[in-house]
Amino acid sequence: MIIEVIAYTLSDALIAARNGADRLEVITAPSEGGLTPSLGLVQAIREQVDIDIRVMIRPHSRNFIYTNEDIAVMERDIAIFRSLGVSGLVTGALTPQGDIDTVALERLLSAAEDLAITFHRAIDEAADLEQAIYTLGQYPQITHILTSGGQSSVLNATDIIERLRLVAKQQGITLLPGAGLHIDALETFLRQTSVQEFHIGSAARQGGSIMNPVDADMLSTIRRIADQF
């Protein structure tokens, strides 16, 4: 079972890596759902952490509809992070109609070259989740889709997650459920959905708040639960 943990400080990253995280999603602005982190933060994590590091590429929190100027900025960020040797990137783009913006996506994938890509929770705002997954299946670089099943909490979407997991698997993509998971519900959720990876933010933090540091004991507990599967 693969555990991905949000990190937006070097301390987060170090604690997560030492206490059971398999992969980090590196962001800034957690209260806004995550934005592109600083170069200095990613450099420091890359130098001191040895696990899979995926960096958020999201220039603003206004929406997931990007202008040509937005995309140009994202391409520059991608080039910088690619040069640091990160494992992959986390990004996504939609059209005003709620479809995957394939024009924007193809520009981002071209800039990423051979880096693995997670399409982030922009998909939860798509008009048709299954159709969005079929569209993403056209791009071999996209290895993961981070989703709450279109709900505010993934715990309200267990049936949806299981259905989408199978659709994604057919497309060669790993579904990565996240948002709203907490320790007390984790074992039941994993049993009900048969997922092989999951994404943790608040559940691994002091007081269960995304604004607090990663808690080593809480993450170790999550690791023990995950290791049962």
Side-chain angles (χ1 to χ4, degrees):
M1 183 69 68
I2 303 284
I3 302 174
E4 178 178 282
V5 178
I6 293 172
Y8 57 89
T9 68
L10 177 58
S11 177
D12 278 349
L14 293 171
I15 294 169
R18 292 167 182 162
N19 291 278
D22 299 291
R23 182 168 60 238
L24 301 176
E25 181 193 59
V26 183
I27 66 167
T28 193
S31 63
E32 296 183 58
L35 298 176
T36 305
S38 74
L39 172 61
L41 174 62
V42 176
Q43 283 179 317
I45 293 174
R46 181 73 179 85
E47 289 168 0
Q48 299 185 52
V49 174
D50 217 8
I51 61 175
D52 191 334
I53 299 168
R54 295 206 180 185
V55 179
M56 176 70 78
I57 303 295
R58 186 182 175 210
H60 58 71
S61 58
R62 185 179 303 155
N63 51 45
F64 298 110
I65 301 165
Y66 299 121
T67 65
N68 283 330
E69 291 83 1
D70 291 331
I71 297 296
V73 169
M74 295 165 83
E75 289 171 324
R76 286 180 176 233
D77 285 334
I78 288 170
I80 291 169
F81 293 130
R82 192 184 69 240
S83 72
L84 296 182
V86 300
S87 310
L89 305 169
V90 182
T91 195
L94 299 176
T95 68
Q97 295 74 36
D99 299 317
I100 302 297
D101 186 340
T102 55
V103 174
L105 182 60
E106 287 171 10
R107 284 180 61 181
L108 298 176
L109 294 179
S110 177
E113 297 184 358
D114 60 346
L115 288 181
I117 303 294
T118 298
F119 194 94
H120 59 41
R121 289 189 61 210
I123 197 168
D124 290 321
E125 297 185 17
D128 185 324
L129 288 174
E130 289 193 26
Q131 183 55 53
I133 292 174
Y134 286 125
T135 299
L136 295 175
Q138 301 173 27
Y139 303 101
Q141 278 171 273
I142 297 176
T143 61
H144 293 75
I145 296 172
L146 174 61
T147 180
S148 62
Q151 305 298 309
S152 58
S153 170
V154 74
L155 297 177
N156 299 326
T158 52
D159 292 344
I160 297 170
I161 290 296
E162 176 58 9
R163 186 178 79 247
L164 296 180
R165 181 186 70 81
L166 295 172
V167 173
K169 184 177 180 180
Q170 291 171 353
Q171 303 301 308
I173 299 173
T174 298
L175 200 76
L176 184 63
L181 273 178
H182 55 80
I183 289 176
D184 293 342
L186 181 59
E187 183 174 348
T188 299
F189 176 81
L190 295 177
R191 206 174 299 283
Q192 290 176 337
T193 59
S194 301
V195 296
Q196 295 301 306
E197 306 189 17
F198 61 91
H199 172 93
I200 285 287
S202 300
R205 293 176 180 273
Q206 296 173 14
S209 171
I210 192 65
M211 301 309 296
N212 291 335
V214 171
D215 185 291
D217 291 338
M218 292 176 72
L219 183 52
S220 295
T221 299
I222 291 168
R223 177 76 266 173
R224 286 195 295 273
I225 294 170
D227 285 345
Q228 298 175 43
F229 295 86

